[in-house]
Every structure is written in structure tokens, then in C-alpha cells.
Amino acid sequence: MPPPVDRRDLRTLVRKIGASARPSQQREALTTLMHLVGANVDVADLLSAVAAAGAIPPLVKLLDPGADAGMHEMATVALVPLLQSAEDCAAAMPPLVQLLGRGSPDKVQSVAAAGLWSLADNPEFAPLIAAAVSSHCWYRCWGLYIKPACCGRQQGC
């Protein structure tokens, strides 16, 4: 059982990953959050406390195309275990699926694919993932480019 985490400390940590933080401060806070969440992925109370501290919106924002690959990778690792509701999952799906695209480094694609794979185990999230993935003509999953049948274009997006 992990030691209790002060909710004020979590809010401070979340503020440091926000857009107004300096990049070095963001990276340090994101690393801390990633390790905290990753080490306690089975501790629902802790994950709920981190999500309640407001971590999900800034983590989703860090998945934007303008962030560097390292930030994408760390934000994905920290974000996926926090997605406990369909609303949060729906907000995170488009940027997570974007990370599967050809413009992302292989490591980022692998982390995003693994995150989506783990989320797909939840029957409530699977349709959200399918909807987000089907909006992209081509996507890469585990090293394969796949073209959904619903895509009418002949080339990749």
C-alpha cells in the first residue's frame, strides 16, 4: 500500500504540468506524476485522487502535436491509468489516436498503441476508441499500417 498523498501536493503537481509552467518545470512534474501513477496503477484511490486534482485536461493538452515526443510519451503513460470515465476517455481518444500516426516516433506510437490496447479492455471505452480510430484513414498499431474499411480515400492521411 503506497503512503497517503496530500491532495494539496497533487494539485501543486498538476499545476506544474499546465501550459503556464516553464518547460523544465513541466517535464520534472510530468516525470514525477508518471512514476507516481505508474507505480500505483492498481491503487484506485490514488488514481482517483490524481484525476480529481485535475490532471487529465493538462495531460491531454500535452498530447497536442506541438509538444515534443518525450512529453507525448510521458503524458500518455501518466494519462492512460487515470481514464476511469467515458467522458475523460472520449476527450483523450483523438489525441491518443493521433500519436499512432506516421509523424510520431516509433516509441511514442508503441506507447500510445499499448495505452489504447489496455483501455479497449473496458467495454464502455471500446466504442470510443473505435470511433476515434475510424476517423483516421490509416493508423499504425503494433508496427502495421491498417486501413479501415470505412475509409474511401486511396492514400494514407
Side-chain angles (χ1 to χ4, degrees), residues 37-149:
V37 169
N40 296 293
V41 74
D42 293 326
V43 183
D45 289 347
L46 178 65
L47 297 178
S48 294
V50 172
I56 293 171
L59 288 171
V60 170
K61 184 74 177 148
L62 287 172
L63 301 180
D64 282 351
D68 71 40
M71 295 294 265
H72 285 157
E73 182 182 341
M74 290 190 298
T76 300
V77 170
L79 175 65
V80 168
L82 299 177
L83 299 175
Q84 303 295 317
S85 74
E87 181 181 331
D88 290 338
C89 191
M93 280 310 105
L96 279 172
V97 170
Q98 284 285 121
L99 295 179
L100 297 176
R102 296 181 197 167
S104 295
D106 287 346
K107 180 143 177 140
V108 172
Q109 289 178 348
S110 295
V111 169
L116 290 167
W117 184 270
S118 70
L119 290 171
D121 281 343
N122 182 326
E124 188 178 5
F125 296 169
L128 299 170
I129 295 168
V133 168
S134 69
S135 69
H136 294 279
C137 186
W138 291 90
Y139 62 96
R140 184 173 181 199
C141 188
W142 298 113
L144 302 172
Y145 283 100
I146 302 166
K147 182 178 180 185

Side-chain angles (χ1 to χ4, degrees), residues 13 15-17 20-30:
L13 188 62
R15 269 196 306 279
K16 289 180 180 179
I17 63 171
S20 62
R22 292 186 321 270
S24 61
Q25 193 178 34
Q26 262 185 331
R27 186 173 295 281
E28 183 180 321
L30 185 54

